[in-house]
Amino acid sequence: MSEAIRILVVDDHPVVREGVMAMLTTQPDLEIVGEAGSGEEAIRESLALRPDVVLLDLELPGMDGIEVIRRLREELPGIGVVVFTAFDRDEQVVGAVQAGADGYLLKGTPRDEVFRAVRLVRQGGTHIEPGAASKLMRQVRDDPHALTPREEEVLEHIATGASNRAIAEVLFVSERTVKFHVSSILSKLGASNRTQAVAVARERGLLRD
């Protein structure tokens, strides 16, 4: 018999968290190794427990779920991340996938689909709920070079001349995360440096005066 899939459940509502864990433990091949109620705790527990898959809500106190995904990708690139949330706004779906989520499920998804998503992601696949997938496809079709809300925020700070360290302090993220955003912004804008990126952004009306 193969080893059980080790799962960390992250949700800021204890009752919801307990319900999700109870659901997952009905499956003999799924094992709960830990739980977390905030973004910071999710990172800390992931580094300590090294789960195979993190089942992650996006709306968390402090560090939000999308930032958690980015940090996990930096610290534990091999970990599987399945978003499990009540929210399916375009910017959240696109932001989560761009940050590195392997799966995106809405709360209320049939339990068998949740089990299937966890197993598929553990095997290296992806699983995105149909409604979320349609939003993602629409975004890619309409503008594959569109900046995410967080990238727009970073761009605003770049335009003021702020350093990566200063931006990191204001946004409460690591300097490494800011570098990731800056690199993505330069790529999407077709710019070779920060000054050029700001110039291009102004031409496209992406910066407020």
Side-chain angles (χ1 to χ4, degrees):
M1 182 177 178
S2 59
E3 292 185 3
I5 300 172
R6 304 172 70 254
I7 305 169
L8 174 70
V9 177
V10 183
D11 195 293
D12 63 330
H13 295 96
V15 174
V16 174
R17 206 163 60 236
E18 290 169 9
V20 172
M21 292 190 293
M23 175 184 69
L24 294 171
T25 53
T26 63
Q27 303 300 294
D29 63 329
L30 305 182
E31 176 189 357
I32 304 300
V33 295
E35 58 182 291
S38 70
E40 290 79 2
E41 190 178 4
I43 298 298
R44 188 168 62 249
E45 292 298 299
S46 293
L47 290 172
L49 300 170
R50 304 295 174 115
D52 299 314
V53 176
V54 175
L55 196 62
L56 175 73
D57 190 13
L58 289 184
E59 298 294 319
L60 299 169
M63 183 190 302
D64 67 21
I66 290 178
E67 186 60 34
V68 171
I69 297 169
R70 294 191 183 104
R71 291 282 301 278
L72 289 175
R73 282 285 161 259
E74 293 172 1
E75 304 289 344
L76 300 168
I79 201 171
V81 180
V82 177
V83 171
F84 192 52
T85 185
F87 302 92
D88 65 344
R89 293 192 296 270
D90 289 23
E91 67 178 44
Q92 290 175 309
V93 175
V94 174
V97 173
Q98 288 183 332
D102 303 294
Y104 199 108
L105 300 174
L106 295 178
K107 290 176 178 175
T109 295
R111 53 191 289 163
D112 286 345
E113 187 173 345
V114 177
F115 302 151
R116 184 164 58 251
V118 170
R119 291 169 181 140
L120 188 58
V121 166
R122 177 67 181 102
Q123 294 168 0
T126 59
H127 186 98
I128 300 178
E129 187 270 337
S134 66
K135 294 176 184 293
L136 181 63
M137 290 299 293
R138 182 170 62 250
Q139 174 74 15
V140 171
R141 183 179 64 247
D142 292 346
D143 188 357
H145 301 297
L147 301 182
T148 66
R150 178 47 67 93
E151 287 169 349
E152 291 177 348
E153 193 173 7
V154 171
L155 180 61
E156 292 282 351
H157 288 290
I158 291 175
T160 69
S163 65
N164 287 350
R165 177 175 294 180
I167 297 173
E169 291 175 353
V170 171
L171 299 182
F172 300 103
V173 299
S174 69
E175 191 171 346
R176 187 176 178 184
T177 295
V178 174
K179 289 179 181 178
F180 172 83
H181 290 317
V182 172
S183 177
S184 179
I185 290 168
L186 295 182
S187 175
K188 288 180 177 180
L189 296 182
S192 58
N193 55 54
R194 295 159 70 104
T195 301
Q196 187 178 3
V198 171
V200 172
R202 291 195 187 286
E203 289 176 3
R204 298 185 184 179
L206 299 177
L207 287 168
R208 295 189 292 268
D209 294 329

